[in-house]
Amino acid sequence: MPKLKVDGVEIEVPNGATVLQACELAGKEIPRFCYHERLSIAGNCRMCLVEVKPGPPKPQASCALPAADNQEIRTDSEMVKKAREGVMEFLLINHPLDCPICDQGGECDLQDQSVAYGRGGSRYHENKRAVTDKNMGPLIKTQMTRCIHCTRCVRFSEEVAGVDEIGALYRGESMQITTYLEHAAKHELSANVIDLCPVGALTSRPYAFEARPWELKKTLGIDVSDATGANIRIDARGREVMRVLPRINDDVNEEWLSDKGRYQVDGLTKRRLDRPYLRRDGKLQPASWNEAFAAIASLNPGNSIAAIAGDMVDCETMFAAKQLLGALGSTQLEGRQTGMDYATDSLAAVNFNSTFNGIETADAILIVGSMVRWEAPLVHVRIRKAVKRGAKVFLIGPEWETTCGGEFLGNDRALLGNLPGHVSDAFANAKRPAVILGGAGLGSGGLDAALAFAGSLNLVRDLEDGTKWNGFNVLHMAASRMGGLMLGFAQKGGIADLVAAKPKVVLSLGADEVDYAKFAGSMIVYIGHHGDKGAHAADVILPGAAYTEKAGTYVNTEGRVQFADKAVFAPGDAREDWTILRALADAFGVSVGFDSFDDLRTAMISAVPALGIEGLADYGSVLPSGGGSASGAIAYPIQDFYMTNPIARASAVMQRCSAELLHGEDLAEAAE
């Protein structure tokens, strides 16, 4: 490990570290525009100049210079100060004076660093260069005259997203950053370039001119658009969520976020349920809370009651529903809305056991029945990293554009028990083999066949370095799935068991993907936040809170328990879901054992201790033996990435993305 001095202080840095990283380890702030920890080194902005001895008597770019023994680095010398002032002066030659009307104002690296490291004036008075704005789709607003050619957006698209959509045209002063043939950026991580852009060249189109950062209240939350559990920051003004940004969590989402998780939030204010409704004479009509509760209680269901959990429900809501049904003598709980009935005796058998960090180190990966790019875009980023390290990827299912290569073996689940020879050889020789079983691969014996495959190839093993490897992974698509399984929201025969029981009352906890025609003889009580499919089928609607409007616990597909805070209040007469279930208990005349949210969470943690500890839950590493054979063609459940939940379906931004990016529709402007 090299030893060097930074401003006279000797430090030791890891092998392979750059001078910039060494300076940061020493506590020195180094300005930069092109350098980013998760992207390759470009070394083209020159803002990170430092003085290095031994070496030529001139400032050097610290981001591209390896740290070495006996270096003496100065970050505060007169040479460095003048060099940075000169670089900043060059950068501002063509940059427009747009700060008062620029959406990046208050969060702009160029703005901050020009104050901290600039010279306060310019010696250049020539006309500024102007560049035409580019079309990058409905999410990214461009003002390319502001671009300083840091190429962060180019490197992100190529290296992280794996889509070569953004690049540079021309040379020198004429250089321009643009998308291919000025088409929209169509991949599902495209809006991350907005966070990466250090100036106001790429900003958020839906958020344009909506708010300034100092006006917003910032709340820590968890994304529920998929089962990844990405860490987010919810920025709100008053009672409205203005935007969602990713938070850094190296174990989950690094610092990226899918476009759906980022932009579905405008749907939070549209199609909202803000008052109770009762179905009278075949029509839903507004009612009071007392009338709604009286209508449900009048049915006197006894233990003939069932609960179905939706895809975005928090653990507290599910536990409150379980307590209510338990007090009534019912165990009819289910969360797999579309009819899946895989065994849940062992949670290790339905968990992403490798973890997201671990899958990067796999050297052979078999993906069965999962279109990962749409089902979990941030997991696909990890698979790309594994491929860069040399992993071989094989896929069973209909073909899709993976952006990480891979060989499609066919579309039949039966391939799980009869892999081609070269695939079997690749797994036999792999040190860290892994299988990823998606939602489309779980049914028709897919889980049992995958478990048998895991057993035959010894996917759970001890490695040479003394660590344990578990390469068996199930990739869920619902944010509530693992939490629901931990709380017992799973019948042996799936939702068919609930249909067969013919309950008098069906509690729908935001469950919008259920075929409610099968419950024709039941009273359907919908507790949710949007007038979506579940609300249309309901006999009673009790307006609940969306994920930004309540505190809650969520468990992602790798079994990671995470907590979210309440950002805003629910609109109108809507209430947090647990309070509705607590009031229902009074209407039914039963006790559920909690009167406050703290009581509820304490009771839940007492019943399932793992839900009280933030981090990976321990499901053990012993997998069932599996057996049998899988059969049938695979069909992916997601047909439209932008329309997978009621919030996204209510979002005008997601509707436009679906129409423009997936279906190729031309959207006319108002003047047309």
Side-chain angles (χ1 to χ4, degrees), residues 133-138 140 142 163-167 169 177-187 190 205 660-661 666:
D133 293 339
K134 313 299 179 186
N135 170 33
M136 291 196 183
I140 305 170
T142 64
V163 181
D164 295 339
E165 287 185 334
I166 303 179
L169 296 177
I177 301 293
T178 182
T179 50
Y180 179 66
L181 296 180
E182 293 199 21
H183 288 176
K186 294 184 178 180
H187 61 86
S190 64
R205 187 180 293 276
E660 189 173 332
L661 303 181
D666 291 326

Side-chain angles (χ1 to χ4, degrees), residues 85-101:
E85 287 178 353
V87 170
M88 181 60 69
E89 195 173 2
F90 277 126
L91 287 173
L92 295 176
I93 289 175
N94 286 308
H95 194 79
L97 300 176
D98 280 350
C99 297
I101 54 118

Side-chain angles (χ1 to χ4, degrees), residues 362-440:
D363 46 9
I365 304 173
L366 177 65
I367 300 174
V368 183
S370 179
M371 188 176 178
V372 188
R373 270 187 69 180
W374 280 8
E375 294 172 14
L378 299 170
V379 176
H380 192 253
V381 169
R382 306 283 190 159
I383 296 172
R384 275 184 49 79
K385 287 188 178 182
V387 171
K388 286 183 177 180
R389 293 178 175 181
K392 296 179 180 177
V393 176
F394 307 96
L395 304 98
I396 298 177
E399 293 192 18
W400 49 279
E401 188 180 347
T402 66
T403 76
C404 65
E407 179 184 349
F408 282 89
L409 306 176
N411 190 26
D412 193 343
R413 289 184 183 88
L415 282 164
L416 260 173
N418 187 27
L419 290 173
H422 69 288
V423 180
S424 299
D425 291 344
F427 275 86
N429 297 327
K431 292 182 178 179
R432 294 170 177 257
V435 61
I436 297 176
L437 191 64

Side-chain angles (χ1 to χ4, degrees), residues 469-535:
W469 171 256
N470 187 337
F472 187 81
N473 304 298
V474 172
L475 185 61
H476 296 293
M477 292 172 285
S480 64
R481 182 70 75 244
M482 285 306 295
L485 296 179
M486 292 172 74
L487 289 166
F489 272 72
Q491 301 294 307
K492 188 171 183 180
I495 208 164
D497 283 2
L498 270 58
V499 175
K502 297 182 178 178
K504 289 183 181 179
V505 174
V506 175
L507 282 182
S508 172
L509 309 174
D512 291 285
E513 318 303 328
V514 177
D515 181 4
Y516 286 104
K518 295 178 180 178
F519 295 98
S522 306
M523 172 187 273
I524 297 167
V525 179
Y526 181 77
I527 302 174
H529 40 79
H530 275 77
D532 206 76
K533 302 172 187 176

Side-chain angles (χ1 to χ4, degrees), residues 85-130:
E85 287 178 353
V87 170
M88 181 60 69
E89 195 173 2
F90 277 126
L91 287 173
L92 295 176
I93 289 175
N94 286 308
H95 194 79
L97 300 176
D98 280 350
C99 297
I101 54 118
C102 177
D103 267 322
Q104 201 86 342
E107 301 172 307
C108 177
D109 291 349
L110 184 66
Q111 195 176 56
D112 295 341
Q113 292 184 35
S114 63
V115 171
Y117 302 102
R119 63 189 297 273
S122 175
R123 291 167 287 181
Y124 296 93
H125 303 288
E126 291 78 14
N127 292 332
K128 290 181 181 286
R129 181 185 74 143

